[in-house]
Amino acid sequence: EPEGDQEPQGERPGAPDGIRCSLSSDHALSKPLDEAFSLWKKLLEHPGVPSVRSPEQTLSSLQLLAALYRLQDKPIQALESFQLLLSLCRRLGDGLGAANALSQICRSLLQLGSPGQAQVFLEELEFCLGEDEGTE
């Protein structure tokens, strides 16, 4: 019997080590994303269209950044990334991209339990889609 008691206790130290390893690898995975987010935020803090080689590639990079944050279950960082994407889409006059960013912002806010804030962006999305229909 004492041996049986020792086996489960012998397994228990592994669990915290596994958690520590998981948290460590989670930080290692998110660190490059956080650095990329910081760089995009600095680039977009100034008004106007940023000087980038390819605005389309920049939009794709921001979409990917937000999607990766969402996959890592980091909804606040995903939301902030979608807000950067929205800002760039507006500067570039990309109505469809702005509408997509607004819908993703609404989704993120709903996931965060903020339906009131989501409603504000939903109304903006409806206005944006109405403008887009008017130009066709």
Side-chain angles (χ1 to χ4, degrees):
E1 264 184 26
E3 286 179 26
D5 286 76
Q6 287 178 354
E7 285 180 44
Q9 288 175 350
E11 292 173 13
R12 287 186 192 138
D17 289 341
I19 292 170
R20 192 174 16 247
C21 178
S22 177
L23 291 174
S24 172
S25 61
D26 181 48
H27 176 71
L29 290 173
S30 66
K31 186 178 179 189
L33 292 179
D34 295 340
E35 289 172 1
F37 175 80
S38 178
L39 291 172
W40 288 123
K41 190 173 180 180
K42 278 184 184 171
L43 183 69
L44 295 171
E45 69 187 8
H46 303 291
V49 176
S51 298
V52 292
R53 196 172 346 159
S54 169
E56 294 80 16
Q57 189 173 12
T58 302
L59 290 172
S60 296
S61 295
L62 285 169
Q63 288 171 330
L64 184 60
L65 179 68
L68 289 171
Y69 272 133
R70 188 173 272 163
L71 284 172
Q72 286 192 338
D73 197 28
K74 296 183 178 246
I76 293 173
Q77 290 89 338
L79 173 64
E80 291 173 335
S81 299
F82 284 124
Q83 289 173 326
L84 287 179
L85 178 63
L86 175 60
S87 172
L88 183 57
C89 286
R90 286 180 173 156
R91 295 174 196 198
L92 296 172
D94 180 358
L96 186 60
N100 180 48
L102 284 165
S103 69
Q104 296 298 330
I105 289 169
C106 290
R107 179 179 171 196
S108 296
L109 287 168
L110 289 171
Q111 287 175 333
L112 288 166
S114 300
Q117 288 181 315
Q119 180 66 34
V120 172
F121 285 97
L122 182 60
E123 290 168 6
E124 194 174 339
L125 173 59
E126 290 171 350
F127 179 75
C128 184
L129 291 174
E131 275 187 335
D132 201 39
E133 284 178 7
T135 59
E136 291 179 8

